[in-house]
Amino acid sequence: MIRPSYAVQLARTKLRSKRGVLITSIIVASLLFAALIATVIVFAGAEKSAQEFIKKAGSDRYLVKATPNIPYDKLTFSGTLSLEDIRTIKAFEAQYYQALRDKYKALGLEYNEKSEVSALQPASWLPESLPDEQRVMVNRTSPVIPAIENHKFEEYARTATNKLGDLKETGNKYGASGYYLVDKSSLLPPIPGLRLIQNGKEDFGDSDLKSTDPTPYGYYTNAIHNGTYNFTDQKLLGRYLLTTDDKDLKGIPVVVSAQEAASLFGKKVDIGKEPEATSEKRTWLKNIQTKLNGQTYQVCYRNSAEQALLQKIQRDYAGMRNNENNGNYQKPNLIYDYPVRACGDIAVKDDSRTVVEKQADREAEEIQKKLGTYVAPQHRLLTFQIVGIKYAQPYTNYSKGINEYIKSLLSSQDDLSSLDIPIQMYDSLPDTLKFDDIEQNSTTLPRQRDDNFASRVLEFATVDDARAFLDNETCPSSETHCNKKFLADPYGSNYLILDEIGKLFNRIASIIFPAALSLAAIIIWFTVSRIMAENRKETAIYRAMGAKRRDVTCIYIVYILLIALRIVLISLVLGIAAAFAIDYLYGKTLADTTAVLFGIVDDAPAFSLFNLGSPLLLVIIGLIFLISTIASIQPLIRNVLRPPIHDIRDE
Amino acid sequence: MVGMKDIPDGKIEEFLSLFDGDASAAHAALVRYKQRRQELASTSSPLRAHPTGEEIVSLQGVSKRYKLGKQTVNALRDITLSINKGEFVAITGASGSGKSTLLQIIGCLDKPTSGKVRVGSKETTNLSDRALSELRQSTVGFIFQSFYLQPFLRLGDNLTVPAMFTNKNKKDIDSKVQRLLQQVGLSERARHFPKELSGGQIQRAAIARALINDPRIILADEPTGNLDSANGQSIIDLFKRIRNELGTTIVVVTHDLAIARQADRVIELKDGAIV
């Protein structure tokens, strides 16, 4: 058989024939492979950098947040009611009001049936084809509806198999531990339900949103004003906590957003608004972390009775202002005034009630007390101490580019609209600083009070365990029709997110790899077929000179490998250059962004989108050779089997 | 006396159709044919090799038919001939007379539809593709009208190509190339590319390439077709020299009678048959 060196020599001469077509094909195929190579390099870089950040942030754990999959559609009433629902509501309503009547009677009170609010109201918009009985909807102002829904939930809870115990039983099969409480509602209303005290004054402003931005940006930049205070296990807040020292706490420990911290304390400590430029955000965040760690702020918690009084004050004052010149206007006969001191008592300003009116009010209060529905005005001055800062991710626009995209990957798992109270630090507070004794909000559903149904974060030893638990036992929380007991997602920027990045890469790769490979194969097949057809006479001359079929095969295989080698070299150069350019353009910004997102402002690792360590690169190089060879088999066989005389005779 | 009775039954009409039914023209042709056969039988015959030489090519009753679209072309009809070692044979004939087909059958590039071919000591009719390649490699050197040098190989490397398919030592090949270039007067041009050479130089290089594997037969298809008469003559002189010095058999297909006359023997083909 022909020696390899001769085969190379002859194959190289072939590379010079049909040069234009060949070079074009090599470049097009190389561009396709370069896209794959650049994708691999960038993803490998992103994955490695994310890994370093996660490690640095101490989140190198496999965490999954699981929530019981409660069939709310069966436990609450919405939309068109079935006849069965309607009959259930009616029966429950009859019982409810009968019990109320009995209670009045037992207490010797006069019962007024006109005060009953029907649980159902007509719904004329429902199709006329429905029976009259069914053309109704629930009346949410009726006390019957929350009562029946609570009742249904309690019934459900009795036999539910997705409580904490069940979760532990399931999770333990996969070696889960932790079961940390997360985002447990604290029963504190969000500001401005909590009245912020600034410069010794309580803020009685109305509750409009600060921003009119319809996007979540308006909410998230002002998280503290709209977010709820949630209890979260301290072990999950590590990346945001600036201190875990609970000895000298002067208030309820809380992790707030950097944006809100800046708006609350900015002027006091000379911190401006969040800068637009990513490169400046890191310094801004560092400033906030340094200056605001340990800062305290005070709010006044006022219970429902006091909230109602404040609303009355606002209403009465507005009415009086609007009717200043109206001679027929009759002032309310009982006027309260805003408290003089911050978080002080709400005092009566003007009481012009008649004796009879006063008597009636007193009697009404007595009745409420007898029925157990009376709520005495109550307020508590609460002090919060900032123990951690988290960066509230503004509205993410995926279409803006790779920077936003990677940002979304790294941050999307956190609930950034909540303010987290680290449970362990809170527990160590003296009772005077706690707010355990505040009135339970009557609208709070039983499931919100029940730790059995609270979200939990499970910690797994390996990504496989976490993945198996997620796949076998749970549905993603985004799934609307889930038949499993729990809904669950990877939690926070932990190692499982890397697995998510990997999955995303696989999803992208499963589309672009076959597409690029088939396109490249078609291009190579077309080119090689054409060139071999062009070279038929030359092949025949070789045969006339005594070349055997395997000699010709050998020359062409070397020729194909030389083409593949050129594709490899060009695509490597282009792919590496593209990845390098992407890294150059986005690396620095991403490093800043990630540092801000992770709250690592000092000695943050570099975020590089350039990593040549992926074994996939070798796979791609192998694939280039393989695809080139496969694409050339058919034209090669056709060419070699052709009797040389056909092409010599053509002369 | 020659008459139509010499034509086999059932073939007379076909024979007449060749002369548009002109019986006297057909008769005259038959007379010429008979006379020619008698002449050949009494003198040295182009159908038979020189009786004193060693036979190197032998064809017996070789016919070649192939399809061209829907038509069947009888490229060769019942050819029987023998060529001796060291002979310089010219095959002539009009275009389409089957000269090139005959050359390709002798060179084992094509197989006859019927008949037997012997090249060297081997009967080629039933040889495998691989054996035929080996036979071509060891016995035959081809020279084409269009030269077919590799445009992107230097002259020296071009000469090497047929040797690449053998197991010869590279050193031996290189020294052989040097010698051959010297013999054809192209030593100075070893590093040149074909496009830098004249037509005559290229054809000399092609001859040198055909000699690289020491073939016993050189088969040249219109080797002077693309050359002027001076260059054409120098190529024929080169053939004679090769034959004289190396004892190589030379078979040249040409339609140039001036060249054919210089051969030891002329085989004339007409409509695929020797005349």
Side-chain angles (χ1 to χ4, degrees):
Chain A
M1 192 157 82
I2 187 167
R3 287 180 195 187
S5 60
Y6 289 139
V8 171
Q9 195 177 7
L10 293 180
R12 283 182 63 189
T13 66
K14 288 191 185 300
L15 288 173
R16 299 176 68 170
S17 66
K18 275 275 163 202
R19 229 172 168 177
V21 177
L22 186 61
I23 289 174
T24 312
S25 308
I26 287 178
I27 288 174
V28 174
S30 300
L31 283 172
L32 290 167
F33 286 114
L36 300 187
I37 288 171
T39 310
V40 169
I41 296 174
V42 167
F43 262 93
E47 195 176 359
K48 188 161 185 286
S49 303
Q51 202 169 356
E52 280 169 16
F53 267 95
I54 287 167
K55 211 167 182 176
K56 187 93 187 165
S59 306
D60 44 350
R61 299 181 287 171
Y62 302 104
L63 302 178
V64 169
K65 179 179 172 181
T67 309
N69 179 22
I70 298 168
Y72 291 116
D73 54 332
K74 293 194 182 106
L75 302 179
T76 56
F77 301 105
S78 59
T80 310
L81 300 169
S82 67
L83 274 174
E84 193 191 339
D85 283 343
I86 290 166
R87 284 166 193 163
T88 309
I89 293 171
K90 280 182 174 168
F92 189 88
E93 184 179 26
Q95 274 179 15
Y96 178 87
Y97 284 125
Q98 184 56 51
L100 200 61
R101 270 193 292 273
D102 292 347
K103 197 171 179 183
Y104 270 71
K105 201 175 169 185
L107 293 167
L109 298 170
E110 190 184 334
Y111 183 75
N112 180 6
E113 286 194 1
K114 284 180 186 164
S115 67
E116 288 180 5
V117 182
S118 172
L120 295 167
Q121 59 186 359
S124 55
W125 46 269
L126 286 172
E128 287 181 14
S129 55
L130 286 173
D132 282 349
E133 190 187 359
Q134 212 178 336
R135 295 185 68 204
V136 289
M137 56 190 271
V138 293
N139 181 5
R140 294 236 160 245
T141 58
S142 167
V144 177
I145 297 302
I148 189 171
E149 285 180 349
N150 280 348
H151 174 73
K152 276 171 93 88
F153 183 81
E154 277 156 9
E155 287 283 301
Y156 168 79
R158 258 203 293 281
T159 55
T161 53
N162 51 9
K163 294 186 204 165
L164 179 60
D166 305 299
L167 179 65
K168 282 186 173 171
E169 200 176 303
T170 311
N172 290 349
K173 283 194 274 181
Y174 300 86
S177 60
Y179 301 95
Y180 307 118
L181 259 179
V182 61
D183 300 336
K184 187 200 168 195
S185 178
S186 73
L187 306 180
L188 283 180
I191 290 177
L194 282 181
R195 304 285 167 176
L196 185 65
I197 296 170
Q198 284 176 304
N199 304 319
K201 284 187 182 165
E202 194 174 342
D203 180 7
F204 293 113
D206 54 28
S207 56
D208 286 347
L209 290 177
K210 268 190 176 177
S211 165
T212 52
D213 190 339
T215 66
Y217 187 87
Y219 286 79
Y220 290 164
T221 48
N222 304 296
I224 202 171
H225 275 64
N226 304 289
T228 48
Y229 285 86
N230 288 340
F231 286 109
T232 295
D233 198 291
Q234 193 169 319
K235 290 197 179 74
L236 300 174
L237 295 170
R239 70 191 263 207
Y240 306 119
L241 287 176
L242 299 166
T243 176
T244 49
D245 182 8
D246 55 14
K247 287 198 185 85
D248 297 315
L249 285 174
K250 293 184 285 291
I252 301 156
V254 65
V255 175
V256 301
S257 79
Q259 287 85 345
E260 191 53 30
S263 83
L264 278 175
F265 298 103
K267 279 184 191 156
K268 207 163 116 188
V269 294
D270 194 25
I271 291 171
K273 275 175 110 180
E274 180 182 359
E276 286 289 321
T278 317
S279 55
E280 293 166 25
K281 286 188 184 183
R282 205 194 289 203
T283 322
W284 174 75
L285 184 63
K286 185 176 167 56
N287 242 334
I288 293 173
Q289 288 184 349
T290 320
K291 292 182 178 172
L292 298 183
N293 179 19
Q295 283 281 352
T296 57
Y297 62 92
Q298 287 189 310
V299 295
C300 184
Y301 165 78
R302 293 185 183 275
N303 72 351
S304 55
E306 291 209 359
Q307 294 291 353
L309 285 179
L310 285 174
Q311 277 167 13
K312 177 175 160 51
I313 295 170
Q314 280 172 343
R315 219 170 33 241
D316 290 350
Y317 275 37
M320 286 188 286
R321 251 195 330 273
N322 295 340
N323 291 289
E324 260 174 355
N325 302 318
N326 181 0
N328 297 328
Y329 176 70
Q330 200 170 0
K331 277 203 311 186
N333 51 15
L334 178 60
I335 299 171
Y336 292 91
D337 202 0
Y338 287 118
V340 184
R341 286 182 302 106
C343 213
D345 291 335
I346 298 172
V348 173
K349 185 182 181 187
D350 184 14
D351 188 353
S352 55
R353 288 177 297 173
T354 61
V355 176
V356 178
E357 283 170 339
K358 282 182 185 169
Q359 179 63 29
D361 285 349
R362 261 198 306 276
E363 280 174 4
E365 198 176 297
E366 280 305 313
I367 292 171
Q368 282 180 347
K369 280 179 181 164
K370 280 183 179 169
L371 288 169
T373 56
Y374 177 73
V375 179
Q378 186 198 13
H379 54 260
R380 275 285 307 278
L381 181 67
L382 299 175
T383 305
F384 286 95
Q385 180 173 344
I386 294 175
V387 293
I389 299 283
K390 67 179 174 183
Y391 178 81
Q393 173 64 47
Y395 175 60
T396 307
N397 186 352
Y398 298 115
S399 61
K400 266 188 174 173
I402 190 166
N403 187 22
E404 292 289 315
Y405 178 68
I406 290 183
K407 228 160 41 176
S408 72
L409 274 179
L410 293 171
S411 65
S412 62
Q413 305 296 318
D414 276 312
D415 181 4
L416 294 160
S417 66
S418 72
L419 296 115
D420 298 293
I421 301 170
I423 294 175
Q424 290 86 337
M425 289 174 88
Y426 177 81
D427 285 346
S428 71
L429 287 178
D431 286 347
T432 49
L433 289 177
K434 288 184 177 175
F435 55 90
D436 295 347
D437 56 339
I438 64 166
E439 171 200 333
Q440 296 278 309
N441 189 334
S442 60
T443 59
T444 311
L445 292 169
R447 64 186 147 81
Q448 285 178 307
R449 297 193 294 264
D450 191 344
D451 278 358
N452 265 317
F453 291 101
S455 296
R456 299 278 171 168
V457 170
L458 284 64
E459 189 166 346
F460 293 88
T462 68
V463 68
D464 293 334
D465 287 343
R467 184 56 64 201
F469 172 77
L470 280 170
D471 292 345
N472 301 339
E473 309 292 348
T474 71
C475 306
S477 55
S478 55
E479 197 165 309
T480 41
H481 301 290
C482 175
N483 296 323
K484 294 177 179 165
K485 288 183 190 175
F486 302 98
L487 303 169
D489 298 294
Y491 176 79
S493 291
N494 60 60
Y495 267 19
L496 203 46
I497 299 300
L498 290 180
D499 193 45
E500 291 285 301
I501 294 179
K503 273 173 82 179
L504 177 89
F505 174 77
N506 288 344
R507 268 209 303 280
I508 293 175
S510 68
I511 299 166
I512 71 163
F513 269 63
L517 293 180
S518 357
L519 204 55
I522 291 168
I523 291 165
I524 294 168
W525 170 80
F526 178 75
T527 311
V528 170
S529 302
R530 252 189 94 173
I531 287 170
M532 283 191 185
E534 292 282 329
N535 280 317
R536 270 184 200 152
K537 182 143 279 171
E538 199 178 274
T539 308
I541 303 296
Y542 286 159
R543 300 294 314 272
M545 289 174 182
K548 295 175 203 73
R549 279 185 174 140
R550 60 182 186 183
D551 294 328
V552 176
T553 309
C554 186
I555 294 168
Y556 275 106
I557 286 178
V558 172
Y559 168 71
I560 291 154
L561 294 179
L562 286 177
I563 292 177
L565 186 66
R566 275 160 174 73
I567 295 174
V568 165
L569 292 175
I570 296 171
S571 48
L572 272 178
V573 168
L574 292 179
I576 289 173
F580 191 79
I582 291 170
D583 183 47
Y584 180 79
L585 289 174
Y586 298 105
K588 175 78 178 69
T589 317
L590 273 174
D592 290 329
T593 306
T594 320
V596 170
L597 283 172
F598 278 81
I600 307 170
V601 289
D602 292 320
D603 62 350
F607 199 102
S608 170
L609 291 174
F610 190 85
N611 186 296
L612 295 172
S614 171
L616 262 184
L617 289 177
L618 286 178
V619 174
I620 292 177
I621 292 171
L623 277 174
I624 295 176
F625 283 109
L626 187 69
I627 290 283
S628 306
T629 312
I630 290 172
S632 310
I633 287 173
Q634 184 260 342
L636 179 62
I637 290 174
R638 203 178 53 192
N639 200 39
V640 170
L641 288 183
R642 201 174 153 86
I645 187 63
H646 284 194
D647 304 308
I648 289 185
R649 188 181 286 151
D650 288 346
E651 189 188 1
Chain B
M1 187 61 198
V2 179
M4 288 298 176
K5 62 179 186 313
D6 291 326
I7 308 293
D9 286 347
K11 293 285 181 182
I12 295 175
E13 276 185 22
E14 192 185 330
F15 180 70
L16 276 173
S17 71
L18 293 170
F19 301 92
D20 293 333
D22 186 340
S24 59
H27 184 260
L30 266 176
V31 170
R32 280 201 305 278
Y33 171 73
K34 285 272 183 182
Q35 283 171 350
R36 181 78 177 135
R37 284 192 64 166
Q38 277 164 10
E39 277 172 34
L40 290 171
S42 59
T43 60
S44 74
S45 163
L47 302 174
R48 275 204 305 259
H50 198 278
T52 56
E54 178 195 335
E55 189 185 64
I56 194 159
V57 175
S58 148
L59 278 72
Q60 282 190 338
V62 167
S63 293
K64 178 70 185 177
R65 281 187 298 276
Y66 56 83
K67 291 250 179 196
L68 199 66
K70 284 182 179 172
Q71 275 194 320
T72 303
V73 178
N74 284 306
L76 294 177
R77 302 164 196 253
D78 193 25
I79 302 277
T80 297
L81 71 81
S82 170
I83 298 170
N84 275 351
K85 185 172 181 283
E87 251 196 308
F88 180 178
V89 176
I91 302 171
T92 65
S95 185
S97 60
K99 312 187 289 289
S100 293
T101 307
L102 179 58
L103 195 76
Q104 284 149 6
I105 285 178
I106 296 171
C108 311
L109 277 176
D110 206 356
K111 286 187 175 178
T113 314
S114 61
K116 285 185 175 175
V117 180
R118 179 176 286 277
V119 177
S121 57
K122 285 186 176 159
E123 157 80 51
T124 67
T125 326
N126 294 318
L127 285 183
S128 67
D129 183 83
R130 185 177 170 173
L132 284 172
S133 296
E134 279 167 359
L135 187 62
R136 281 197 295 271
Q137 194 182 83
S138 61
T139 314
V140 182
F142 271 98
I143 296 161
F144 304 94
Q145 181 178 359
S146 304
F147 324 127
Y148 293 128
L149 292 191
Q150 295 271 311
F152 304 113
L153 279 182
R154 293 176 197 282
L155 202 57
D157 294 330
N158 253 302
L159 263 59
T160 316
V161 174
M164 288 179 178
F165 307 118
T166 66
N167 286 324
K168 285 179 187 156
N169 184 298
K170 187 170 187 329
K171 219 169 158 186
D172 294 345
I173 298 171
D174 288 345
S175 64
K176 183 82 184 285
V177 166
Q178 290 306 321
R179 210 166 55 242
L180 285 170
L181 281 171
Q182 211 167 11
Q183 281 173 0
V184 298
L186 291 171
S187 298
E188 304 298 312
R189 301 287 190 161
R191 308 271 310 147
H192 287 232
F193 286 100
K195 66 178 178 190
E196 296 162 349
L197 304 178
S198 70
Q201 286 173 323
I202 291 175
Q203 193 58 302
R204 275 189 280 147
I207 294 168
R209 181 180 64 179
L211 290 168
I212 190 80
N213 287 336
D214 299 319
R216 296 165 72 191
I217 312 162
I218 293 266
L219 300 174
D221 195 356
E222 300 279 7
T224 60
N226 286 347
L227 304 176
D228 58 33
S229 57
N231 268 317
Q233 186 53 50
S234 77
I235 293 300
I236 297 304
D237 293 343
L238 187 56
F239 281 148
K240 287 179 187 166
R241 216 174 84 208
I242 292 164
R243 194 270 305 262
N244 295 337
E245 287 175 11
L246 305 172
T248 312
T249 306
I250 313 277
V251 181
V252 176
V253 161
T254 182
H255 63 270
D256 186 340
L257 288 176
I259 284 170
R261 269 197 292 273
Q262 300 180 55
D264 299 338
R265 188 154 56 113
V266 177
I267 298 168
E268 190 187 349
L269 289 181
K270 189 176 180 189
D271 299 329
I274 295 175
V275 291

